[in-house]
Amino acid sequence: MIIGVDNGYTYTKNSKGVIFPSKVRTGESIDINNVLEVEIEGKRYIVGEKESNYTVDINKVDDEKTKVCILTSIALSMDNDYEEVKVITGLPPGHYSKQKIQLRKMLLNSGATKIIINGKKKHLKIVDADVFVQGAGPVFLQPNKYRYAKVLVIDIGGLTVDVCYFENMKLVKYRTYEKGMLKLYSQMISEINTYLELSLDISDGERILNEGIKIYGKQQDLRFLNPIIDGYIESFMTDIKLDFSIKTMDYILLIGGGSQGLYHRLNIPNAEILPDGQFTNAVCYEQIGRVRFGV
């Protein structure tokens, strides 16, 4: 099996359509209806639990949660009890050159792994692995469209905003800004809890940004959050405008989990949000993997 896995700071997604929160803790859970109880080589983890913490360490390679999330994502996509796997994943462009070798070694060193998810046993063996630049893949899905164009890809993720600039299908320039959506969610939730006298968690931020919030069944007016949201957007968009000439781009593609909630606020006339943008990286990874692995 060839699979692309996008281990984001907020969600882990793969090219087979699997998605779960990138939250991991050791131990057991009383309620396994809404979480994944995972055992890897005898060690038990709870994956996807709301009360657990997100990874906020930029160097995810040294974080045990990264390996657990990737292996869990692969196992959830297996049709058989045993499969040999070729996996391709990604790193933010600003960290790619320093961490890619270490991440690939970590995946290959996993070797043959026994994993039990909510009582179901799986055996997998990673026989090949590769790492690609996060956010750089969308142009390769439609090469005829972007072959002679200037394309800017903006990937709004949980901990970083990654930007890749292509000319004629060649990656010319890229940047990583450590201004991902978790920072916005943290500010939003703090303001909401104070203003509406609630006790919400940062994990509620995405849902509130996209759907709003109800109290006793009544939709609330959240316009008091506009200065926070606008200030957050201005912060990373100022960086992008300083580093890239966005006015001269033929295409500006928005991907990542944060793109849906911010799309209408970015005020970029020719920006296009890709369908299923949260899965774009993972789908691209698999397509690139098929080329790199010679399949």
Side-chain angles (χ1 to χ4, degrees), residues 39-293:
E39 182 178 320
I40 300 177
E41 298 299 338
K43 188 170 183 179
R44 294 184 175 183
Y45 306 89
I46 300 301
V47 179
E49 186 179 55
K50 180 179 178 181
E51 288 74 20
S52 300
N53 295 320
Y54 289 113
T55 295
V56 293
D57 187 352
I58 290 296
N59 188 350
K60 295 191 297 182
V61 180
D62 293 332
D63 194 323
E64 185 181 22
K65 298 184 185 73
T66 299
K67 182 177 179 179
V68 172
C69 284
I70 291 177
L71 292 177
T72 300
S73 181
I74 294 171
L76 287 171
S77 300
M78 291 171 54
D79 293 326
N80 305 308
D81 293 336
Y82 171 80
E83 290 202 35
E84 293 186 347
V85 179
K86 296 181 179 180
V87 59
I88 182 165
T89 187
L91 285 166
H95 312 130
Y96 177 75
S97 60
K98 292 183 179 180
Q99 299 178 22
K100 63 178 180 179
I101 295 176
Q102 186 181 358
L103 179 55
R104 183 172 183 270
K105 284 183 178 179
M106 182 266 281
L107 293 171
L108 290 173
N109 287 341
S110 298
T113 303
K114 176 185 176 182
I115 180 168
I116 305 173
I117 302 179
N118 291 352
K120 296 181 179 180
K121 297 180 181 180
K122 300 284 185 179
H123 291 81
L124 64 91
K125 183 178 181 181
I126 296 179
V127 296
D128 207 346
D130 210 342
V131 182
F132 194 64
V133 179
Q134 187 171 295
V139 296
F140 297 104
L141 294 182
Q142 299 187 67
N144 292 332
K145 181 176 181 179
Y146 303 126
R147 190 177 306 278
Y148 303 108
K150 295 180 179 180
V151 184
L152 194 70
V153 181
I154 302 176
D155 182 358
I156 306 175
L159 202 61
T160 63
V161 176
D162 301 311
V163 183
C164 296
Y165 169 51
F166 293 84
E167 284 186 11
N168 305 326
M169 297 290 293
K170 181 180 179 181
L171 180 59
V172 176
K173 185 178 181 181
Y174 53 80
R175 292 286 186 272
T176 290
Y177 308 103
E178 294 173 15
K179 298 182 178 183
M181 296 295 289
L182 290 176
K183 294 187 176 182
L184 172 61
Y185 297 154
S186 178
Q187 295 175 41
M188 285 174 51
I189 295 302
S190 178
E191 188 73 4
I192 289 171
N193 287 342
T194 299
Y195 195 89
L196 298 178
E197 298 181 341
L198 299 174
S199 56
L200 300 175
D201 184 79
I202 189 173
S203 60
D204 297 307
E206 181 179 12
R207 175 181 53 80
I208 292 172
L209 181 64
N210 294 327
E211 303 173 12
I213 186 173
K214 291 182 179 180
I215 296 180
Y216 297 126
K218 183 179 180 181
Q219 195 75 30
Q220 299 299 298
D221 183 350
L222 299 182
R223 283 180 291 182
F224 65 89
L225 292 178
N226 286 343
I228 292 175
I229 299 172
D230 292 341
Y232 165 75
I233 291 172
E234 182 180 0
S235 176
F236 74 76
M237 282 305 302
T238 296
D239 290 336
I240 293 174
K241 289 176 181 178
L242 287 173
D243 290 332
F244 301 90
S245 180
I246 67 171
K247 290 184 178 181
T248 64
M249 299 295 165
D250 298 308
Y251 299 95
I252 297 179
L253 309 180
L254 301 177
I255 63 173
S259 59
Q260 180 180 353
L262 300 181
Y263 171 59
H264 296 292
R265 295 174 176 265
L266 291 177
N267 195 28
I268 305 175
N270 62 331
E272 172 188 358
I273 185 169
L274 297 188
D276 296 322
Q278 201 166 20
F279 285 90
T280 301
N281 278 324
V283 172
C284 292
Y285 294 158
E286 180 176 328
Q287 296 299 320
I288 293 165
R290 292 189 178 279
V291 175
R292 290 192 171 181
F293 298 139

